[in-house]
Amino acid sequence: MAKVTEKVADKAKKTVSKAKTAVKSAAKKTAKKSGKDKVVLAYSGGLDTTVIIPWLKENYDYDVIAVCIDVGQGDNWKAIKNRALKTGASACYVVDARQEYIEEYIWPALKANAIYEDEYLLGTSTARPLIGKILVEYARQEGAVAICHGATGKGNDQVRFELAIKAFAPDLKCIAAWRDDKWNMDSREAEIKYLEDRGLEVPMKKDQSYSRDENIWHLSHEGLELEKTENEPNYKHMLKNTIVPEEAPANGEYVKIEFEKGIPVAVNGKKMDALKLLTELNKIGGRNGIGLVDICENRCVGMKSRGVYETPGGAILYAAHRMMNHLTLDRDTYHYKQQLSIKIGELIYDGKVFTTLYDSLMAFVDKSEETCTGWVKLKLIKGAIRGAGSGSKYSLYNESIASFTTGDLYNHKDAEGFITLFGLPLRVRAMMEQSVGEGQAVLKSKKLKKRPTE
């Protein structure tokens, strides 16, 4: 057994070695102009990643290939691309991954009813694996020898990015600037000075200091008053996509969602592609104060962090999808899916999307969603979501059975035999307790209280 393990390990080492050799060879071919190795940088256009461009050039002497991945941030990508090039990037690519993000990462999480720690709808978590995968794709295309990201050493994103990179390219070097020995900046002020000393643009809005992550699914907020759990969030100052619930219209509004095999396909009778559908629901939810979450969550790196999330369209879809599952899934399947939903949420949160376990659990989800076709109507009112009806040709609700009227499919007397058998273990245990004079079933049981008789 030990010899077999050694052979497998040796084979794996040789495979990685060959891959590294191939990457270096490709890098030499594609970097002829400068003669330098290339690094692909996950570039957002923000302060951290803008600083990283000259930092990489100075400390590693790389050609920096900036890759911007649009998952719905709403940024000015033309300006961001120009900033990357002016700051020293050899090239900058902008990828519109919004549709791919929704269809291949958000919809699976929705179908699984995946939620982290009861409330977080996995906005940042679902996007990071896709970003990591796209970085690898560009690294391969450019013949790069390394991938760099700007995630800090305290956050979840470093884990999510690097797990995605390891899953597709174990041979590539991964540079996490904030963890690097050559990185000597420990504050925004230090980063700003670094750029100013080099005569480079400082991309920072000084009037808004929340740490944010935004995409088509959500907007997260951390920092400022949120760093003390005793403080109430300053929603009026903070929110961008959602109105404060107290200020939402008093009458609210109805919204109708149609599903096909667990995937939302129409809003209020209009068929839409994934991007248009989610954009429309974000508007509807936002103006009704839907989808606000204030949570102190457990990061995968071991600490707790507090964040406020705006997920207006997502909250609507999760509520509607659960109603569809309530209508079309049998008891055993739904209850088992509830257990898997927790695990799938953990896997997504931890960045373990490109794993055998995730694929296996999603195979179960896909099977369970085969009959999740129909419609759900919701009432949205001042931050709350209420069911207002649902229907499906696959509905397992049968009015003739559920009605209080005795029908052919269900006779009230049938319940007597069922209860006898269902409660048999309790009855046998109680009989035993009475025979030995111990337990809750004895005549003068301490668990039975004396009640007033007048």
Side-chain angles (χ1 to χ4, degrees), residues 417-434:
F418 167 76
I419 296 170
T420 298
L421 296 178
F422 197 63
L424 187 59
L426 286 169
R427 185 178 183 185
V428 170
R429 175 191 168 189
M431 291 169 62
M432 175 275 293
E433 289 175 347
Q434 288 182 349

Side-chain angles (χ1 to χ4, degrees), residues 111-320:
K111 289 166 67 177
N113 296 321
I115 300 177
Y116 186 70
E117 296 190 342
D118 302 320
E119 295 190 82
Y120 174 41
L121 298 185
L122 301 165
T124 301
S125 314
T126 46
R128 295 317 193 219
L130 172 60
I131 293 172
K133 178 173 172 285
I134 292 175
L135 293 174
V136 171
E137 291 168 348
Y138 273 95
R140 294 305 195 206
Q141 289 170 208
E142 290 287 328
V145 299
I147 293 175
C148 180
H149 64 78
T152 71
K154 287 186 177 181
N156 297 308
D157 286 342
Q158 59 181 334
V159 178
R160 296 163 183 156
F161 285 141
E162 293 180 40
L163 289 190
I165 294 167
K166 291 177 187 297
F168 291 102
D171 50 287
L172 292 181
K173 182 179 181 180
C174 191
I175 300 173
W178 277 86
R179 304 197 315 256
D180 197 283
D181 291 337
K182 298 177 181 180
W183 183 268
N184 57 7
M185 289 166 275
D186 59 359
S187 67
R188 286 186 171 186
E189 289 72 25
E191 290 180 311
I192 290 171
K193 186 176 186 304
Y194 184 90
L195 292 175
E196 290 177 340
D197 287 347
R198 289 156 180 77
L200 299 172
E201 177 188 357
V202 178
M204 180 181 174
K205 295 179 180 178
K206 296 183 179 180
D207 63 332
Q208 186 63 273
S209 300
Y210 289 107
S211 175
R212 286 189 167 109
D213 175 69
E214 184 172 13
N215 59 45
I216 191 66
W217 187 241
H218 90 150
L219 173 60
S220 67
H221 311 264
E222 293 180 354
L224 297 185
E225 78 275 5
L226 299 179
E227 292 187 348
K228 290 187 178 296
T229 60
E230 298 86 352
N231 293 336
E232 180 181 5
N234 186 354
Y235 287 117
K236 288 189 177 182
H237 178 62
M238 175 193 306
L239 300 180
K240 292 177 64 180
N241 300 332
T242 314
I243 194 170
V244 178
E246 294 89 331
E247 298 178 359
N251 295 328
E253 70 181 284
Y254 288 96
V255 61
K256 184 179 180 182
I257 315 293
E258 294 176 41
F259 290 89
E260 291 181 4
K261 295 186 176 181
I263 295 175
V265 295
V267 175
N268 293 331
K270 295 180 180 179
K271 294 279 185 178
M272 302 179 185
D273 65 29
L275 183 56
K276 289 181 180 178
L277 184 144
L278 189 49
T279 301
E280 177 66 13
L281 286 178
N282 280 335
K283 292 177 183 177
I284 294 172
R287 64 181 178 240
N288 286 285
I290 302 298
L292 289 181
V293 167
D294 174 11
I295 181 175
C296 190
E297 72 199 49
N298 289 294
R299 288 183 177 176
C300 61
V301 293
M303 70 183 72
K304 285 186 179 291
S305 66
R306 186 189 184 194
V308 167
Y309 299 103
E310 298 178 59
T311 320
I316 293 171
L317 286 173
Y318 264 72

Side-chain angles (χ1 to χ4, degrees), residues 21 44 53 83 87 117 134 158 167 195 211-212 221 226 312 314 335 339 361 377:
T21 301
S44 68
I53 292 176
R83 182 182 304 148
T87 311
E117 296 190 342
I134 292 175
Q158 59 181 334
L195 292 175
S211 175
R212 286 189 167 109
H221 311 264
L226 299 179
H335 287 187
Q339 298 175 52
L361 296 182
K377 189 176 181 181

Side-chain angles (χ1 to χ4, degrees), residues 356-376:
T356 302
L357 178 56
Y358 179 83
D359 288 343
S360 301
L361 296 182
M362 289 309 301
F364 169 87
V365 169
D366 288 340
K367 179 65 180 177
S368 73
E369 292 290 294
E370 287 180 353
T371 58
C372 189
T373 296
W375 60 270
V376 171

